[in-house]
Amino acid sequence: MRPSFIFKGLALSALTVAALSGASLFGLDSAVAEVGKPTEGAIYLQEGVTETADELRHLHNIVMWIITAIVVFVTALLLFIMVRFNKKANPEPSRTSHNTLLEVVWTAAPVAIVLFLIAVATKPLYNQDVIPDDVTMTVKVVGNQWNWTYVYPDHGDFDFTSTMLTKEEAAAKGVPYLLAADEALVVPAGQKIRVLVTASDVLHSFAMPSFAIKMDAVPGRINETWFKVDRVGTYYGQCSEICGREHAFMPIEIRVVPEDEFIAWVKTRNPEYAQAPASGQDAALVPAVTGGN
Amino acid sequence: MVALYPGADDGHHDDGKPGFFQRWFYSTNHKDIGTLYLWFGMFAGLIGGFLSFMMRLELNQPGIDVFANYHTYNVFVSMHGLIMIFFMVMPALIGGFGNWFVPLMIGAPDMAFPRMNNLSFWLLPVALILLMASFFVPGVGQDNGFGGGWVMYPPLSTSGHSGPAFDLIIMGLLAAGFSSIFGAINFITTILNMRAPGMTMHKMPLFAWSMLVTAFLLLLALPVLAAALFMLFFDRNAGTGFFNPAMGGDPEMFQHLFWFFGHPEVYIMILPAFGIVSHVVSTFSRKPIFGYLGMAYAMVSIGVVGFVVWAHHMYTVGMDVDLKLYFMVATLVIAVPTGIKIFSWLATMWGGSITFAVPMMWAIAFIFLFVIGGVTGVVLSMPAIDVVLHDTYYVVAHFHYVLSMGAVFGIFCGFMYWFGKIFGVMYNKLLAQIHFWLFFIGVNLIFFPQHFLGLNGMPRRYVDYPVEFAFYNQLSTIGAFVTLAGTAAFFVMLIEAFIVRRPAEDNYWGEGATTLEWTLPSPPPYHQFNTLPKVK
């Protein structure tokens, strides 16, 4: 009787592993996935377009395997115990209540797993958090109830406000409702860009899943984060800190364009930019960057 | 057995039960107060459940279906959290089972401060009335209620909600907080001073251990919440600027204060469930608990480490990177004592002679689901990953696995275990099993798909969502209907039990149930242990 139970337990766990890995492959490599926005029915992370996001996904894959193994192990053990040690199978209970070796092992094993996790999770954290020295430009993001103001301090300090498109407007333009905005934050591809984040009224959070950035917008404080996207395209995120009535209606749209297109776009916004080289204004900006860390 | 409670019957002569009003409204009896807490928790659970059910109806499909006023949706989200935590889980686990079984298990006649116990309970209805009143007074402009989330972050809770609704909530939470502090003082004093002769700390049942650790967490964490609430109140009404950057304050300081309370609060809700599950697993395996000391000190260490991990709720506020690393390491450390608990439960079952009575079903489900909720906590503890998952449905799924399935399954586990002991009647097993299976399937259907929503990027507290998230939201709402049916089955079971009134024996679980409450009749006499039991 006993071996058959073990077999059943093993078969069940194998099935679970197969289902989970199959499912995660589906989520990872779904052919219909669109970059920069959620995918219908997807069960895994949005595809990343920054090195930070790739590193995050890699770390998450490792952790996912470990936690899946833990859940499968505990579940299999639980099922085995339920079958092997139920009243019918085992009428007389043992009285064992100590086993020093066992207790040492199940303390040491989690310690080892924790140490391993700390080891793999530390580098991605620093890569993600520490702003590289060679950022080429800065954009400033201000969260308001319920829209975003984008400021370009390196390009003549012009600014504009980005508001969600209504359902009709989005349908007319063929862009996703609740994600698309009337004005995108436009940035050049292939550049390391510093983002300064603050808020004018209550807390908001500037989030872009496919870049792996999320930074709270806090009144009176300037937080900073960064990204570098090589792939030209339009990317969507949503406000991620409750901010009142229209919290769900202040999306973030970032358009990554080739550098020449970016310069052309800046000129339409700020004709004087052609005369004012960005490098000169960079220097003026530096002392202002104090908050965040 | 009878020798353990000589004079139990005397109670009916010289110190009998008072009349209805006096008994239930002036009560100083730990068992009656425990019963009041249980009914109160059940009532509040219905309110909180109603709020969440309306949220699930709204989220059934993209678009606005239920909440024409988005602010009202935020109010429901916020109040669901506050009511479930402060008025359902805490009263049921701590006030209900704690009051009932801590004195019984340690062989004490009552709690140390019976009148303070009465005050602890009666502050709660006052608090709930204040919270419920906030639904009907202005929060923002003309909109009623407070919609800033249960975390109440300023400035949304200060300048963002200028109406009186949030002041009522502050008052309510202060009342609930003082209720818990009084309760904690009572439990600590009772457990440290009133154990029966021979019951040393290291012989004390694990549920009493869990309540002792919980009481210390309450005592140390709640004053910090009270301070933060007072500061909010003064910022709102007295012109101070603790959290106002324009006056030299800092909104993030509130978050630190809140989570310094808020993280231990998580353990306050789960530790009593740990205690209950330990007893149930041991009873139905007919084996003593495996690694008793390890189990007790695992809870102590979870309590201690639980105080130094709070900022893992705040990885995206713009914290120093070294600090993030520290909070990640400290958080991961908690996995070790938690692992000890899980493996010790499994080892208790190993070699046992297991009967799958209803409480055991809840306990096994608790272990399984708590492992799932625990491992997603490992994922979230890493700031490098949390940056995409913070404030998404992944977090919602995670904490509902540890609370809605951890703490709540612990409550049902204890309720089914002690039902006969508390009420003196037995429930119908079939109805209880139907309740279990509907609830188990329902809550998994609600919350498992939410992991996918979170990974795919759906933010929490959203009244409407992009169409890509529709499928798993719909699945989740179907789960809410199944859970609703489960709740209905629970009340049918409850009503059936009180109509049929099958009398409960003293020890209806048999030889596996070894703690002192099983030496008493069901229900126990109005005053027990007039002569203290001797523990070998």
Side-chain angles (χ1 to χ4, degrees):
Chain A
M1 206 157 165
R2 203 168 164 185
S4 78
F5 287 135
I6 297 173
F7 174 73
K8 274 182 205 161
L10 285 177
L12 205 68
S13 10
L15 208 66
T16 318
V17 173
L20 279 172
S21 51
S24 62
L25 281 177
F26 167 77
L28 286 169
D29 300 330
S30 178
V32 292
E34 278 179 80
V35 182
K37 64 192 276 292
T39 307
E40 181 147 9
I43 62 167
Y44 208 64
L45 297 164
Q46 289 183 29
E47 193 180 334
V49 292
T50 59
E51 274 173 37
T52 314
D54 292 341
E55 212 173 5
L56 180 149
R57 170 182 284 255
H58 180 65
L59 174 62
H60 187 270
N61 289 347
I62 296 173
V63 179
M64 196 67 203
W65 278 110
I66 293 174
I67 66 170
T68 308
I70 293 172
V71 171
V72 169
F73 173 68
V74 173
T75 310
L77 207 56
L78 204 53
L79 288 174
F80 174 77
I81 290 170
M82 285 162 70
V83 173
R84 173 66 187 82
F85 297 109
N86 67 43
K87 203 176 174 182
K88 266 187 207 147
N90 192 35
E92 268 315 302
S94 82
R95 303 297 296 171
T96 318
S97 63
H98 295 283
N99 184 329
T100 311
L101 178 67
L102 206 56
E103 288 179 64
V104 168
V105 168
W106 74 44
T107 311
V111 168
I113 295 174
V114 163
L115 288 176
F116 172 75
L117 289 173
I118 292 168
V120 294
T122 304
K123 192 161 165 282
L125 166 62
Y126 279 81
N127 288 348
Q128 171 190 89
D129 195 273
V130 178
I131 314 281
D133 295 332
D134 55 343
V135 289
T136 45
M137 65 171 274
T138 299
V139 290
K140 189 175 171 191
V141 172
V142 185
N144 317 301
Q145 282 179 322
W146 292 277
N147 53 50
W148 297 93
T149 300
Y150 298 130
V151 190
Y152 287 74
D154 295 352
H155 304 89
D157 218 18
F158 68 88
D159 64 80
F160 57 89
T161 296
S162 168
T163 310
M164 188 186 78
L165 293 178
T166 65
K167 202 166 191 173
E168 292 72 27
E169 288 165 346
K173 290 175 90 171
V175 290
Y177 172 56
L178 295 172
L179 294 173
D182 59 349
E183 296 256 28
L185 175 71
V186 181
V187 292
Q191 305 263 354
K192 287 184 181 165
I193 294 159
R194 170 172 32 215
V195 189
L196 302 181
V197 186
T198 187
S200 64
D201 38 41
V202 301
L203 300 180
H204 303 272
S205 190
F206 184 76
M208 184 54 67
S210 49
F211 296 7
I213 60 173
K214 183 173 289 153
M215 187 49 78
D216 285 4
V218 184
R221 178 184 265 259
I222 298 172
N223 283 329
E224 57 177 355
T225 183
W226 73 284
F227 64 82
K228 172 176 166 289
V229 181
D230 294 328
R231 195 149 145 191
V232 168
T234 305
Y235 304 93
Y236 299 105
Q238 294 173 289
C239 176
S240 297
E241 182 62 69
I242 189 165
C243 58
R245 198 179 65 235
E246 281 164 59
H247 171 47
F249 305 97
M250 50 180 292
I252 296 140
E253 178 178 340
I254 301 183
R255 205 145 58 79
V256 178
V257 297
E259 197 160 355
D260 49 345
E261 203 178 308
F262 174 72
I263 304 286
W265 174 81
V266 167
K267 283 177 183 161
T268 65
R269 292 290 169 163
N270 184 8
E272 292 151 37
Y273 173 67
Q275 282 85 46
S279 55
Q281 288 157 6
D282 263 352
L285 179 82
V286 173
V289 187
T290 48
N293 288 333
Chain B
M1 283 299 172
V2 177
L4 280 177
Y5 50 94
D9 286 335
D10 301 355
H12 298 287
H13 306 298
D14 58 3
D15 194 8
K17 291 173 191 165
F20 178 84
F21 188 81
Q22 213 178 357
R23 177 173 179 192
W24 294 109
F25 287 79
Y26 295 171
S27 185
T28 54
N29 183 301
H30 73 102
K31 294 187 288 294
D32 287 352
I33 292 175
T35 306
L36 286 172
Y37 265 115
L38 285 175
W39 290 119
F40 179 82
M42 218 181 285
F43 173 71
L46 286 178
I47 299 174
F50 164 76
L51 298 175
S52 60
F53 191 73
M54 296 310 282
M55 278 143 59
R56 283 296 356 141
L57 283 186
E58 171 59 62
L59 297 174
N60 183 40
Q61 55 183 24
I64 301 297
D65 299 314
V66 180
F67 295 94
N69 184 341
Y70 309 148
H71 173 76
T72 310
Y73 177 82
N74 290 346
V75 173
F76 273 46
V77 171
S78 316
M79 300 306 278
H80 165 72
L82 289 171
I83 288 174
M84 285 302 201
I85 290 168
F86 288 97
F87 300 95
M88 192 275 279
V89 173
M90 287 171 72
L93 279 177
I94 303 167
F97 297 130
N99 261 308
W100 251 98
F101 293 105
V102 165
L104 293 186
M105 282 184 168
I106 65 172
D110 205 312
M111 295 287 280
F113 306 117
R115 281 163 202 276
M116 191 160 78
N117 207 3
N118 174 293
L119 178 63
S120 286
F121 174 76
W122 285 104
L123 277 171
L124 273 187
V126 175
L128 186 60
I129 288 167
L130 285 166
L131 257 80
M132 295 309 290
S134 80
F135 274 98
F136 307 103
V137 299
V140 193
Q142 296 302 306
D143 296 332
N144 287 344
F146 172 70
W150 88 281
V151 295
M152 311 172 281
Y153 287 169
L156 189 57
S157 60
T158 51
S159 56
H161 275 82
S162 47
F166 188 59
D167 293 313
L168 288 174
I169 290 177
I170 293 179
M171 294 301 171
L173 291 183
L174 283 172
F178 281 112
S179 151
S180 289
I181 291 173
F182 296 151
I185 293 169
N186 221 337
F187 280 117
I188 293 172
T189 315
T190 308
I191 293 171
L192 293 185
N193 296 298
M194 292 173 66
R195 296 189 310 280
M199 180 166 287
T200 59
M201 289 299 279
H202 284 175
K203 282 185 186 166
M204 196 166 71
L206 282 174
F207 180 66
W209 263 108
S210 75
M211 287 305 303
L212 182 66
V213 178
T214 303
F216 270 106
L217 296 187
L218 284 167
L219 194 68
L220 296 172
L222 276 165
V224 180
L225 174 71
L229 288 171
F230 271 118
M231 288 154 100
L232 276 183
F233 190 80
F234 290 141
D235 270 17
R236 291 169 56 83
N237 299 305
T240 59
F242 292 112
F243 309 126
N244 181 356
M247 298 166 78
D250 185 354
E252 270 170 32
M253 186 169 78
F254 178 83
Q255 299 188 23
H256 282 288
L257 292 172
F258 180 83
W259 287 114
F260 188 83
F261 145 79
H263 197 78
E265 172 70 19
V266 174
Y267 296 112
I268 287 166
M269 288 188 277
I270 201 69
L271 284 173
F274 282 175
I276 292 169
V277 167
S278 295
H279 287 281
V280 171
V281 164
S282 156
T283 298
F284 295 100
S285 307
R286 288 205 289 143
K287 267 185 71 193
I289 196 81
F290 189 96
Y292 165 84
L293 278 183
M295 288 293 252
Y297 285 100
M299 287 194 284
V300 174
S301 58
I302 288 172
V304 171
V305 184
F307 268 106
V308 293
V309 299
W310 75 90
H312 66 214
H313 296 268
M314 305 164 54
Y315 283 143
T316 63
V317 297
M319 200 190 298
D320 185 83
V321 63
D322 298 333
L323 207 53
K324 285 191 200 173
L325 180 65
Y326 159 73
F327 279 109
M328 176 183 86
V329 173
T331 306
L332 283 170
V333 165
I334 294 190
V336 177
T338 312
I340 292 176
K341 295 211 69 84
I342 299 283
F343 289 124
S344 297
W345 285 322
L346 293 180
T348 305
M349 291 165 71
W350 188 279
S353 178
I354 303 169
T355 36
F356 298 99
V358 177
M360 189 61 171
M361 291 162 72
W362 287 99
I364 291 171
F366 171 93
I367 295 171
F368 171 62
L369 298 171
F370 189 77
V371 169
I372 296 179
V375 294
T376 54
V378 169
V379 177
L380 289 168
S381 75
M382 301 181 169
I385 297 180
D386 183 66
V387 75
V388 288
L389 298 178
H390 180 74
D391 255 324
T392 68
Y393 264 81
Y394 194 90
V395 177
V396 176
H398 159 70
F399 71 72
H400 280 93
Y401 261 84
V402 287
L403 294 180
S404 182
M405 297 171 200
V408 172
F409 274 47
I411 292 172
F412 281 124
C413 182
F415 196 74
M416 298 301 171
Y417 183 58
W418 285 313
F419 187 89
K421 184 57 70 184
I422 294 173
F423 299 110
V425 297
M426 299 301 284
Y427 49 81
N428 179 304
K429 272 183 218 158
L430 180 67
L431 287 173
Q433 279 167 347
I434 293 172
H435 165 226
F436 169 81
W437 283 111
L438 285 173
F439 218 84
F440 181 81
I441 294 165
V443 288
N444 276 294
L445 206 50
I446 297 176
F447 295 111
F448 204 79
Q450 294 185 359
H451 291 114
F452 305 147
L453 289 172
L455 284 166
N456 200 12
M458 181 171 166
R460 9 176 348 195
R461 298 166 174 148
Y462 263 35
V463 66
D464 196 6
Y465 51 83
V467 64
E468 285 84 359
F469 298 123
F471 177 68
Y472 289 117
N473 268 299
Q474 195 161 26
L475 214 54
S476 196
T477 302
I478 294 170
F481 277 97
V482 178
T483 311
L484 182 70
T487 312
F490 173 74
F491 281 96
V492 170
M493 180 209 83
L494 213 54
I495 292 164
E496 194 268 356
F498 287 118
I499 290 175
V500 178
R501 304 199 72 83
R502 302 168 203 87
E505 297 164 24
D506 293 5
N507 183 358
Y508 46 84
W509 299 127
E511 56 170 314
T514 54
T515 38
L516 281 174
E517 77 268 30
W518 303 109
T519 64
L520 297 168
S522 303
Y526 193 63
H527 292 298
Q528 78 277 352
F529 302 135
N530 290 349
T531 308
L532 294 179
K534 290 238 184 322
V535 180
K536 277 177 287 186

